[in-house]
Amino acid sequence: MKIVLNKVRIINPAQNLDEQNDILIEDGIIRKIGNLNKEDLSNAKVFEFNGKICSPGLFDMHVHLREPGREDTETILTGSNAAASGGFTGIACMPNTKPAIDSAEVVNFIKSKSENHLVDVFPIGAVSKDRKGENLAPIAELVTAGAVAFSDDGVAVKTASLLRNALEYLKMYNLPIIEHCEDESLAGGAMNEGKVSTMLGLPAIPTIAEDLTVMRDIAVAEYVDGKVHIAHISSKNAVQLVREAKAKGLKITAEVTPHHFTLTDEALISYDSNYKMNPPLRTEEDVKAMIEGLKDGTIDCIASDHAPHSIEEKEAEFIYAPNGILGLETQLGLALNELVHKNHLSISQLIEKLSINPRKILNIPIPQISVGEKANLTIFDENEIWTVDIKKFKSKTKNSPFDKRLLTGKPIAVINNSKMHFDEKFTEI
Ligand SMILES: [Zn+2]
Ligand SMILES: [Zn+2]
């Protein structure tokens, strides 16, 4: 099938590209950019995009699909549908499933379940067997099966020695460990430790729980010349530690979630468990540090930490409710609203953080917007004003604190694997 994207503003910082043009796609391949003639247009389905932005497909490197194990809260299919609806053509999924992604069998299961979808799904292997922090998972087997990184997310890699062994092993494959930085002995609270937790009388997690693990990881990464990616960074001091590590030339990268650059622990005053996540929402000062880190390049990418939980679980008493919120379908809107429209990042910088850098960190090829290349594209409108409606989410669960929030900037369509998602529908192209 032939489609034409009429008048899109093509932006790809990886190609130094920012131009308005028309794109002809046939059988999923970019056939022509600009100067379309009558023949090009015959039998083509034409989409009038009137200056909307067309970037390389967005990529979310931190997603929790709940399959295998908790298919009642998300499946590989519903999570992939949520990703497409949120403007993403690729996601990497965390290994805290049941069973964990600690064998080739589970990697193969995820890959076979995600086959033929518009969204590419890249499994992240567990660092330790069953994420228990005792024995190293079979890393070579997992890499061969297709794992793109390793993590015990939910918890940090338990010991420095395990981290060291895993990093040394992974050097052979040039793959990173993605760290959930939280010192176990300081973990277990329900919110950030500070003025608000004292006021609410809730058990709290101090920022040093994060900072200490970031310090340990940087030290170990430096010692073995390994690659560590700090997941969902949230504390001001942790951002500074990453900044210093980068200045030293260490292989440290970092991501931040939209909730950590948008919300503060003041939101917890509502006792709404949709504001309960780990790491917890921090203070205004930390939020400012996240934005500073994004601006100066200390924080390489934005990732959602999409974490579906059932309504019943989230409605448990606050201290017992599980951590985490949905993220795939609000991520682009929040990033445009909070970062681009508040003049912290340019659109091009945002595309780097949502498409280019996550792929670089995981050694996944960056989609090129050139003739002859496979069309892997996201089209979004940075100016469309819309209200988040969780009832429309494609995710199986509805745990989002952003329901009813007014946002400026919205995904419009995604194209990948000879498929297009537009107007809530998938079509073969
Ligand atoms: Zn985590
Ligand atoms: Zn996570």
Side-chain angles (χ1 to χ4, degrees):
M1 187 177 162
K2 216 157 75 164
I3 65 164
V4 169
L5 313 180
N6 221 14
K7 291 200 190 76
V8 277
R9 183 175 160 203
I10 307 168
I11 305 183
N12 185 3
Q15 295 170 273
N16 263 327
L17 206 59
D18 185 347
E19 63 181 37
Q20 178 152 311
N21 227 326
D22 310 321
I23 304 179
L24 172 72
I25 298 167
E26 199 173 0
D27 301 327
I29 307 291
I30 299 171
R31 298 287 183 204
K32 216 169 175 186
I33 299 176
N35 299 319
L36 303 189
N37 57 36
K38 237 179 164 177
E39 196 190 323
D40 296 327
L41 293 170
S42 74
N43 301 322
K45 186 164 167 47
V46 179
F47 294 86
E48 295 293 346
F49 281 132
N50 286 319
K52 291 189 178 54
I53 291 161
C54 175
S55 73
L58 303 186
F59 193 99
D60 189 340
M61 68 179 290
H62 193 146
V63 171
H64 295 271
L65 300 173
R66 300 301 193 193
E67 186 177 6
R70 284 300 305 269
E71 292 82 354
D72 59 315
T73 56
E74 197 79 289
T75 63
I76 292 160
L77 179 64
T78 58
S80 301
N81 291 346
S85 158
F88 292 82
T89 64
I91 55 178
C93 60
M94 281 294 176
N96 61 338
T97 45
K98 289 188 177 76
I101 309 178
D102 63 0
S103 68
E105 208 182 333
V106 183
V107 173
N108 291 333
F109 169 81
I110 292 167
K111 283 172 66 178
S112 74
K113 282 269 179 169
S114 60
E115 238 172 29
N116 303 320
H117 200 280
L118 183 153
V119 175
D120 299 317
V121 178
F122 297 88
I124 296 167
V127 173
S128 63
K129 204 69 191 144
D130 204 22
R131 295 172 49 255
K132 284 200 172 120
E134 289 159 11
N135 304 307
L136 214 54
I139 289 191
E141 174 188 320
L142 287 160
V143 173
T144 309
V148 291
F150 288 80
S151 181
D152 275 351
D153 187 36
V155 292
V157 175
K158 197 166 185 147
T159 63
S161 118
L162 193 67
L163 178 68
R164 174 197 179 163
N165 290 343
L167 283 175
E168 277 181 342
Y169 218 136
L170 285 171
K171 270 164 71 177
M172 262 195 309
Y173 307 103
N174 192 28
L175 295 180
I177 284 190
I178 303 176
E179 263 287 56
H180 169 112
C181 290
E182 186 180 29
D183 182 277
E184 203 184 348
S185 66
L186 292 163
M191 66 173 296
N192 178 53
E193 185 168 294
K195 265 197 295 200
V196 185
S197 69
T198 309
M199 192 174 91
L200 300 179
L202 286 169
I205 313 170
T207 46
I208 51 165
E210 178 169 330
D211 305 342
L212 286 169
T213 307
V214 172
M215 276 179 207
R216 178 198 75 171
D217 283 29
I218 291 173
V220 177
E222 179 170 22
Y223 191 72
V224 302
D225 191 27
K227 270 187 167 180
V228 172
H229 175 77
I230 312 290
H232 45 51
I233 199 165
S234 71
S235 105
K236 182 185 171 184
N237 288 344
V239 174
Q240 184 56 23
L241 289 164
V242 172
R243 185 174 286 125
E244 287 161 15
K246 285 191 163 187
K248 270 170 109 176
L250 307 185
K251 293 169 182 148
I252 306 292
T253 52
E255 75 192 23
V256 64
T257 70
H259 42 278
H260 287 116
F261 63 68
T262 305
L263 303 170
T264 69
D265 58 358
E266 304 265 335
L268 277 289
I269 293 170
S270 65
Y271 280 101
D272 178 349
S273 65
N274 282 321
Y275 293 104
K276 189 180 178 205
M277 48 279 273
N278 191 14
L281 297 174
R282 307 282 191 193
T283 65
E284 189 64 45
E285 212 184 333
D286 296 298
V287 169
K288 281 190 185 138
M290 297 309 120
I291 293 170
E292 237 6 85
L294 281 164
K295 282 168 82 163
D296 73 7
T298 301
I299 301 176
D300 304 82
C301 38
I302 298 166
S304 70
D305 198 3
H306 179 83
H309 291 291
S310 71
I311 295 175
E312 302 77 54
E313 285 167 302
K314 268 297 204 188
E315 279 179 352
E317 197 184 330
F318 192 87
I319 52 170
Y320 302 116
N323 291 306
I325 59 164
L326 300 181
L328 282 166
E329 292 170 86
T330 45
Q331 178 154 240
L332 177 60
L334 285 164
L336 285 162
N337 198 80
E338 299 299 312
L339 302 173
V340 172
H341 291 298
K342 293 184 180 170
N343 296 319
H344 299 307
L345 294 183
S346 67
I347 296 221
S348 182
Q349 285 170 315
L350 188 78
I351 294 168
E352 282 181 353
K353 307 223 185 251
L354 278 169
S355 174
I356 315 290
N357 294 346
R359 287 187 174 91
K360 272 190 192 159
I361 291 164
L362 302 175
N363 299 322
I364 292 167
I366 295 156
Q368 302 291 300
I369 309 180
S370 308
V371 173
E373 295 286 333
K374 182 176 128 176
N376 181 340
L377 307 166
T378 294
I379 294 132
F380 61 93
D381 183 344
E382 83 274 32
N383 293 320
E384 184 168 339
I385 298 169
W386 61 294
T387 306
V388 177
D389 179 359
I390 49 169
K391 290 198 285 300
K392 290 189 179 161
F393 280 9
K394 302 290 181 281
S395 272
K396 264 198 166 178
T397 60
K398 307 291 170 218
N399 51 310
S400 168
F402 297 113
D403 190 31
K404 308 280 188 293
R405 196 175 176 106
L406 197 67
L407 295 175
T408 303
K410 193 176 193 282
I412 302 294
V414 284
I415 295 171
N416 189 28
N417 297 332
S418 301
K419 293 174 177 64
M420 181 174 193
H421 182 264
F422 176 66
D423 231 359
E424 303 201 22
K425 285 188 291 288
F426 287 98
T427 43
E428 296 287 329
I429 58 161

